[in-house]
Amino acid sequence: MMNYRKYQKQYYMPPVECNDWVKKDAIDKAPLWCSVDLRDGNQALVIPMDLDTKIEFFKMLCEVGFKEIEVGFPAASETEFVFLRRLIEENLIPDDVTVQVLTQAREHIIKRTFEALKGCKNAIVHVYNSTSFAQRQQVFKKDKEHIKQIAVDGARLLKELTEEAGEKYRFEYSPESFTGTEPEYALEVCNAVLDVWKPTADRKAIINLPSTVELSMPHVYAQQVEYMSKNLKYRENVMLSLHPHNDRGSGVADAELGVLAGADRVEGTLFGNGERTGNVDIITLAMNLYMQGTDPKMHFDNMPEICRKYEEFTGMEVNPRSPYCGKLVFAAFSGSHQDAIAKGMHWREEKDPDHWTVPYLPIDPTDIGRSYDKDVIRINSQSGKGGVGYVLETNYDLILPKKMREAMGYAAKDLSDHLHKELQPDEIFSLFKEKFENIQEPLSVHGVHFRQLDDGQIEASVNAKNGSGDYRVTVAEGNGRLDAVSNALKKAYGFEYQLSTYQEHALSKSSSSNAIAYVGITKPDGTQAWGAAVDPDIIRASIDALITAINNR
């Protein structure tokens, strides 16, 4: 039996009201992104990446646009140490990319970290210690002053070793478990660290506020971040950074509200891979900016390839419903959704608007390397006429009459339901040809001769055969060629129907100069039957379409 009484609030509100972030409705500039895929992401894998795989992953992170990449914890293992050395010695770090290394605020670990950094051009040394009430009480069994001193000593050693090395490494400090720390105390520790570093405009320090474990609703984290932003010393020379985890499933909201609250930088991973429920997903964050017209400063224009490489490198799978990148996130199976998308796409073609507003599609899938025909309109037993019509039009240049789309939609739904599977475009096209194109049984026409009459009518002499093998040559008049043929067939075999729809168009995607004709007939009970036919001669195509419609009665 679940006992909710064993839990209580574990977070702390700022001592003063911090709600300025509420007045903002959008992020108008991308924060600086830092990938922690090679640290948090790698340590969360069942089988961590080997050295060569980590190097390939690093190269991909550079390609998609990260300018800061946490490459690991060099003092934690020989593999981590060697990885950083290879990046440096093989000159694999681009000049505009800064690598970040993680270290605990412990002397021997910090010194080992600096050994790994030797010769590195651009680096951030990221030092941390846990400050939360729970860890002070249960893990370290130390009071606030002792915990603060650990942070200060670590900060001082970073500065000394950097000066000894003759480098200008930048520094980052994280009060680990910030979300479980009293905000006034977290501020006190961070300001003590900043007093050691004394950051300047040309060498800013980073104060990183990790929701090491997500403990509250996002608006609480935003208030905590705003409190820190307003009260940090040297604020103009500090990059305020966020490192949200996703224990409550609110990592993206934490990051977005945290940026509204004053943060300048976000640490996260591709697809949110990380400890427990994961780190914040930088792809989602960046694409959320993109879909509202803000440049995310990242290159996600080939999302399928990023997904493929990520899955190869990590052994993880991208969830098919993962925002923007999942295989099904643009897929519309619902008939009403498909109809709205198809109409929206036609509206764009007609109006050529400046901005994207297609229903059900927050962004244009082609912007990130996806396609309309394979990724958007997907056909199964829940689909409708709009989706089926759109697939036939975009893939095969078939512009079905409105009512015929309905009939084709039902045919596709029935087939999908029978097979218990999604239908691919080629299967839908084959179904159309089977059900509606050039059906010559039981009725077929073997010859037609036309004559123009003095009153403007057309006379047709039609040689036809029915299912019993009964050949008949019948002459009839009509107000056009198709009408005359139709009247002759009615006269010959006693058919009862009315020609209700006729439509034709050229097949621009065809390799020859073919045209297609669609014919709909209305039976005495009011229902319709449909036929289509393709031929270089549009008259021949229209007659074959009529024959198909009659055979489909």
Side-chain angles (χ1 to χ4, degrees), residues 73-182:
F73 195 140
S77 72
E78 188 63 20
T79 300
E80 297 270 287
F81 188 96
V82 171
F83 172 55
L84 178 55
R85 293 311 308 159
R86 276 193 62 180
L87 290 178
I88 296 169
E89 292 167 6
E90 296 179 18
N91 199 29
L92 297 175
I93 305 169
D95 290 340
D96 62 345
V97 171
T98 298
V99 294
Q100 179 171 301
V101 289
L102 187 66
T103 177
Q104 291 175 333
R106 299 170 66 184
E107 182 177 354
H108 70 286
I109 294 177
I110 292 173
K111 288 182 176 179
R112 178 66 169 165
T113 300
F114 273 79
E115 290 176 22
L117 277 173
K118 187 175 181 181
C120 187
K121 299 175 186 175
N122 300 312
I124 296 168
V125 186
H126 179 187
V127 64
Y128 74 94
N129 69 306
S130 186
T131 58
S132 73
F133 174 79
Q135 295 230 35
R136 297 196 313 263
Q137 179 190 59
Q138 301 169 37
V139 180
F140 303 110
K141 296 180 172 60
K142 294 182 181 296
D143 61 21
K144 289 181 177 180
E145 283 302 314
H146 281 93
I147 296 299
K148 181 173 71 172
Q149 194 60 46
I150 291 172
V152 169
D153 290 345
R156 188 174 291 119
L157 185 55
L158 257 62
K159 186 175 182 180
E160 291 172 359
L161 293 176
T162 298
E163 290 173 353
E164 286 179 13
E167 301 288 355
K168 291 187 177 181
Y169 297 147
R170 292 166 56 207
F171 304 135
E172 175 176 348
Y173 172 69
S174 289
E176 191 200 1
S177 301
F178 166 75
T179 44
T181 304
E182 306 90 329

Side-chain angles (χ1 to χ4, degrees), residues 416-549:
S416 176
D417 195 35
H418 175 72
L419 297 176
H420 298 290
K421 67 185 287 288
E422 177 187 354
L423 299 183
Q424 299 303 314
D426 60 336
E427 293 175 296
I428 296 167
F429 183 55
S430 296
L431 178 64
F432 172 79
K433 294 176 75 67
E434 176 190 338
K435 294 286 187 182
F436 297 105
E437 187 178 311
N438 202 23
I439 297 174
Q440 297 294 314
E441 294 291 342
L443 180 69
S444 58
V445 169
H446 297 268
V448 179
H449 297 282
F450 296 107
R451 186 166 70 90
Q452 181 81 46
L453 301 180
D454 292 340
D455 60 1
Q457 292 285 94
I458 299 294
E459 178 185 88
S461 175
V462 180
N463 180 6
K465 180 187 73 149
N466 66 8
S468 302
D470 182 11
Y471 281 91
R472 297 184 185 181
V473 177
T474 309
V475 178
E477 298 175 8
N479 57 16
R481 286 176 170 81
L482 186 62
D483 187 47
V485 172
S486 176
N487 290 337
L489 294 173
K490 290 179 184 179
K491 181 177 176 182
Y493 297 107
F495 297 140
E496 293 186 27
Y497 64 82
Q498 293 296 320
L499 272 172
S500 55
T501 303
Y502 175 74
Q503 185 174 304
E504 65 181 59
H505 63 81
L507 291 172
S508 59
K509 295 180 182 178
S510 173
S511 59
S512 59
S513 56
N514 280 337
I516 187 168
Y518 310 95
V519 171
I521 61 175
T522 303
K523 296 178 282 185
D525 63 0
T527 59
Q528 288 186 301
W530 293 93
V534 175
D535 198 273
D537 182 350
I538 192 58
I539 301 301
R540 182 73 240 183
S542 62
I543 293 170
D544 287 343
L546 171 62
I547 299 303
T548 299

Side-chain angles (χ1 to χ4, degrees), residues 131-132 175-183 186-187 208-212 221 224-225 228:
T131 58
S132 73
E176 191 200 1
S177 301
F178 166 75
T179 44
T181 304
E182 306 90 329
L187 178 67
N208 187 51
L209 306 178
S211 60
T212 309
Y221 184 58
Q224 294 167 338
V225 171
M228 297 293 287

